[in-house]
Amino acid sequence: MTLVALDVDYRPARVATACVGFAAWTDAAPAFELVARSAAAPAAYAPGRFFERELPYLLEALARLPAAPGLIIVDGYVWLGADRPGLGARLFDALGGRIPVVGVAKRPFRNAPAVPVLRGASRRPLLVTAVGVDPAWAAAGVAAMAGACRRPTLLRRADRLARDA
């Protein structure tokens, strides 16, 4: 099963989406990397509607892959509350519910049903949510990811690729 980590970076006149693929949670190096660039200015941020801004770019990057991944990791939340879908749940629905999505957030969101994961020497947990797989299983996968820091190596790589694009 191929896992992919996706991250999006917004600038005033462009958007870049990075996709880092790997075979196992514990991999330290990517199997592949892809960067999708858009020369158009990003949509304005609308509170509570973040998914409208980011979802099209995630779908565009995934469409460029030669095959569908077995699991997707996004920077953010799958669920914002018990009945409140976040970016990850919206992506799961847009993909027809066929590919599990795991959200890894760095900051707490009030009422989000997240599993905290402490990594490295950090006292601030990553917050893991999921759809299509058990959230506790997803949190164990994030905990097992390579890297000594709070943020796993391959998630940091996706962030860096998007920022540098």
Side-chain angles (χ1 to χ4, degrees):
M1 164 173 76
T2 301
L3 296 89
V4 296
L6 296 170
D7 208 338
V8 180
D9 184 67
Y10 303 96
R11 300 297 162 104
R14 68 106 179 123
V15 178
T17 307
C19 178
V20 172
F22 47 104
W25 287 105
T26 55
D27 287 357
F32 67 86
E33 298 177 341
L34 174 139
V35 177
R37 295 171 183 85
S38 174
Y45 173 75
R49 312 289 299 169
F50 175 71
F51 70 92
E52 291 176 346
R53 184 178 199 204
E54 192 153 319
L55 186 59
Y57 301 106
L58 298 178
L59 292 170
E60 178 186 343
L62 289 168
R64 293 184 183 194
L65 297 178
L71 184 135
I72 299 166
I73 303 169
V74 296
D75 179 16
Y77 283 91
V78 172
W79 299 104
L80 301 174
D83 293 318
R84 193 167 167 210
L87 174 65
R90 304 285 184 166
L91 177 60
F92 181 76
D93 288 345
L95 297 170
R98 294 182 312 272
I99 304 171
V101 179
V102 173
V104 179
K106 295 176 284 304
R107 293 183 190 94
F109 189 87
R110 194 171 123 198
N111 298 324
V115 178
V117 173
L118 286 171
R119 289 181 41 89
S122 179
R123 292 185 178 182
R124 293 184 313 150
L126 293 172
L127 303 156
V128 178
T129 53
V131 62
V133 294
D134 178 56
W137 177 84
V142 171
M145 290 182 82
C149 298
R150 177 179 180 231
R151 290 175 49 219
T153 299
L154 295 179
L155 300 187
R156 291 174 59 200
R157 178 66 183 152
D159 176 70
R160 178 54 42 206
L161 281 173
R163 288 176 192 253
D164 289 349

